[in-house]
Amino acid sequence: VRELVLETIRQNPEIVMEAVALLEKQQADSQAETQAEVLRSQRDLIERDPNAPVLGNPEGDVTVVEFFDYNCGYCKHALTDMDALLKSDPNVRFVLKEIPVLGPQSIEASRVSLAFRKLKPELYGDFHRKLLASRGAADEKRAMAVAAEFGVDEAALRPVMASAEIAADIAKDNEVATALGVNGTPSYVVEDQVLAGAVGIDNLEAAIANVRSCGSAT
């Protein structure tokens, strides 16, 4: 039987490509089903977590969730997309979720960032933009320096950074990202769709317009 199968493949090598395409489709369908279930069952945690920073309009009619890392070059590029979107559309809620996936420096930066937000939530948006747009590695030292520019010093940040709540916030967002199959940054959630990568403002605006017109991002 093995020889017959091998001979069939030799004579019809396109079978292999068809099998690969079928497998990829099955995997994509399975991932889409998993994402849909997570979006249904964890909608409030994804969009309405009280510990997650919200930029734009807190009462906006469409929510965009971005998973990001302060050391992600694509996230730095996507910062201009976020600002352009919030400037052009006053009805968007923009939720930020920190998943420091790029190593210890990213974890350090996130711990400072989340501690800063708990102390100065009204300044978090400006802090976020400053740190994400900064050149070089975003680590604890750099994040501390940015926090100091907004009037929050190391002595105030340290006890908050060391709290179990900060560790829980990071772990929770990483768990949600994993459940959604998010394995890179930036990634976005718009209603019923997960958009991987720096998709650009045109695709974000199209997804938002679709949600408003039919309740689905596609």
Side-chain angles (χ1 to χ4, degrees):
V1 172
R2 194 161 47 229
E3 286 299 321
L4 286 171
V5 170
L6 289 173
E7 184 59 29
T8 300
I9 292 173
R10 291 188 191 101
Q11 294 179 5
N12 304 275
E14 68 276 7
I15 292 174
V16 176
M17 299 306 298
E18 291 174 3
V20 170
L22 179 60
L23 177 60
E24 289 176 344
K25 184 180 185 303
Q26 290 173 341
Q27 291 174 335
D29 290 345
S30 176
Q31 183 181 45
E33 290 176 7
T34 300
Q35 287 176 343
E37 175 55 32
V38 173
L39 289 171
R40 281 192 298 268
S41 63
Q42 301 191 45
R43 173 71 60 189
D44 284 346
L45 179 59
I46 294 168
E47 293 187 348
R48 303 284 172 177
D49 181 357
N51 291 319
V54 178
L55 303 183
N57 184 350
E59 306 300 325
D61 64 340
V62 178
T63 297
V64 176
V65 181
E66 180 186 354
F67 293 89
F68 75 96
D69 183 306
Y70 277 114
N71 281 301
C72 166
Y74 295 104
C75 297
K76 293 178 183 291
H77 176 75
L79 178 61
T80 58
D81 294 331
M82 180 192 79
D83 282 337
L85 178 63
L86 295 180
K87 184 177 180 179
S88 65
D89 192 333
N91 265 330
V92 168
R93 290 179 73 249
F94 204 99
V95 177
L96 293 168
K97 290 192 176 290
E98 303 193 23
I99 53 169
V101 295
L102 296 177
Q105 291 177 320
S106 295
I107 295 172
E108 292 174 2
S110 281
R111 289 175 63 238
V112 176
S113 171
L114 292 171
F116 179 93
R117 180 184 176 272
K118 292 186 185 300
L119 294 171
K120 292 286 185 181
E122 71 279 5
L123 296 177
Y124 176 82
D126 293 333
F127 170 91
H128 169 74
R129 291 177 174 92
K130 182 83 173 182
L131 181 56
L132 188 56
S134 62
R135 305 185 70 169
D139 54 13
E140 182 179 283
K141 182 179 179 180
R142 179 59 188 149
M144 286 281 194
V146 173
E149 292 182 34
F150 292 97
V152 180
D153 60 19
E154 182 175 347
L157 288 165
R158 284 290 177 194
V160 185
M161 290 167 57
S163 69
E165 191 175 2
I166 295 296
D169 285 345
I170 294 175
K172 179 171 54 180
D173 286 345
N174 273 297
E175 287 171 5
V176 170
T178 299
L180 286 170
V182 170
N183 53 21
T185 54
S187 288
Y188 302 88
V189 172
V190 183
E191 192 63 27
D192 57 348
Q193 193 76 11
V194 178
L195 305 173
V199 297
I201 188 170
D202 290 345
N203 286 314
L204 290 174
E205 288 179 334
I208 291 166
N210 288 339
V211 172
R212 287 177 177 147
S213 66
C214 68
S216 172
T218 58

